[in-house]
Amino acid sequence: VLQNLSQTPVLRELLSEAKMPGTTVKIESPELCMEPQLIKLDQPGPLTLAMHQFVTEMQETKKGVVTPKELFAQVCKKAIRFKGYQQQDSHELLRYLLDGMRAEE
């Protein structure tokens, strides 16, 4: 799940913009006949910052292994079910990660 998210250009772009407080993001949807939405972002929360750090590491690392310790710690704070390193479904991680970042908006 994290490898796929790190290879999503739109997400990487939004995370790099979102890390700066007071940034205005323009969201356009070519499928919908809506006018573009301008959203002013506040200071990102710790989960969003950890996700940005992880995605940046995945893109810039020269070593073959990236450990998402900080991101995992932030996910565990939002969803305690992930504490303890028991096996979890990847779709549950995706849901809690995205819901957690959305809650920090």
Side-chain angles (χ1 to χ4, degrees), residues 41-87:
L41 302 174
D42 293 327
Q43 176 70 33
L47 180 59
T48 303
L49 289 173
M51 183 65 181
H52 175 264
Q53 177 186 347
F54 171 75
V55 168
T56 301
E57 276 185 49
M58 287 289 288
Q59 294 299 308
E60 296 178 353
T61 188
K62 301 291 186 233
K63 58 184 180 178
V65 178
V66 174
T67 306
K69 286 182 184 178
E70 179 59 27
L71 180 57
F72 183 67
Q74 293 302 323
V75 168
C76 288
K77 287 180 183 177
K78 302 275 183 190
I80 57 172
R81 72 180 326 159
F82 290 101
K83 286 185 180 178
Y85 299 100
Q86 285 107 8
Q87 185 171 343

Side-chain angles (χ1 to χ4, degrees), residues 20-33:
M20 297 174 278
T23 300
T24 301
V25 178
K26 183 178 182 180
I27 299 176
E28 299 180 70
S29 178
E31 298 92 31
L32 302 174
C33 297

